[in-house]
Amino acid sequence: MLLPLLRSDAVGELLAWLYLHPEDEYSTTDLAARVGTSQSTVSREMDRLVDAGLIIERRHGNLRLIRADMDTIVAKPLADLLAVTYGPAAILPPLLQPISGIDEAYIYGSWAARNANQAGSVPRDVDVLIVGSADEDKLYDAARSAERILGREVNISRISSASWTDDTDNPFLTSLRSKPLYPLIQKRITT
């Protein structure tokens, strides 16, 4: 786990989405989709976090809207801790999604390994693989924005979609494919 103080990685990712985007409200359905877990799990964890005074909820009809409680004394230190642990999963997708030409995006390296429960120290940087033809200047700008929030270096590597799917002789890609990858943007399947 990236932060063994928490009950699970799902709790860490949920808290990261809430505390690193404190101006936003999320439904349990939206959070479940963002974290890749069931809505019932999110609802259960949100009940615990409301009881602990860490999040605020409001009802809009039958919709449960949730946001971080930034007025609690632990809000700033918790947000800082979440930024350096689960932050990449919550910060990078909104920065990368508006950039055209990204077919897929993954975190790889030590952060992805820790997220996959492989032992090791807290990662000092975040390595991101972009698959597609996205503009390198826009990727650079996104990386610098992420660095300001995450408090660590963000390195972006870009490869073409053809290389990602077809290149089997490249040692870098062979190594990447054999190690944990954390998906940020997954290939869109068209019908």
Side-chain angles (χ1 to χ4, degrees):
M1 290 181 60
L2 291 165
L3 184 58
L5 302 171
L6 299 176
R7 292 169 38 89
S8 69
D9 283 329
V11 172
E13 288 187 42
L14 289 167
L15 284 168
W17 274 102
L18 295 168
Y19 274 86
L20 300 178
H21 303 282
E23 66 285 350
D24 296 331
E25 284 185 313
Y26 298 94
S27 69
T28 55
T29 305
D30 186 32
L31 285 170
R34 289 175 188 274
V35 174
T37 192
S38 70
Q39 186 176 354
S40 62
T41 297
V42 171
S43 191
R44 229 181 0 264
E45 294 302 337
M46 293 304 103
D47 289 342
R48 288 184 181 100
L49 295 170
V50 166
D51 290 345
L54 295 175
I55 63 170
I56 298 169
E57 72 173 340
R58 74 178 179 90
R59 299 283 181 166
H60 184 9
N62 63 357
L63 192 62
R64 183 181 187 189
L65 297 171
I66 302 156
R67 66 180 175 83
D69 185 349
M70 299 307 289
D71 291 330
T72 178
I73 193 166
V74 299
K76 174 72 170 110
L78 181 57
D80 291 343
L81 188 56
L82 290 165
V84 297
T85 54
Y86 293 95
I91 293 303
L92 287 164
L95 291 172
L96 295 173
Q97 286 166 341
I99 300 173
S100 62
I102 297 177
D103 297 328
E104 300 174 63
Y106 302 93
I107 298 175
Y108 66 95
S110 57
W111 190 92
R114 293 308 144 306
N115 189 67
N117 295 319
Q118 292 182 2
S121 60
V122 175
R124 294 188 170 274
D125 64 358
V126 178
D127 298 309
V128 179
L129 175 70
I130 301 296
V131 179
S133 60
D135 180 86
E136 287 190 5
D137 289 336
K138 290 181 181 177
L139 294 175
Y140 177 85
D141 292 343
R144 299 304 72 82
S145 294
E147 286 177 351
R148 285 189 292 279
I149 298 166
L150 301 174
R152 69 176 76 172
E153 188 175 343
V154 175
N155 306 300
I156 295 184
S157 300
R158 185 189 71 177
I159 63 167
S160 70
S161 295
S163 292
W164 181 240
T165 56
D166 299 335
D167 192 342
T168 56
D169 296 330
N170 183 318
F172 173 68
L173 295 180
T174 301
S175 175
L176 273 183
R177 290 182 187 110
S178 70
K179 295 180 180 170
L181 295 172
Y182 182 91
L184 296 169
I185 298 174
Q186 294 186 301
K187 189 171 190 167
R188 294 168 185 93
I189 299 172
T190 55
T191 57

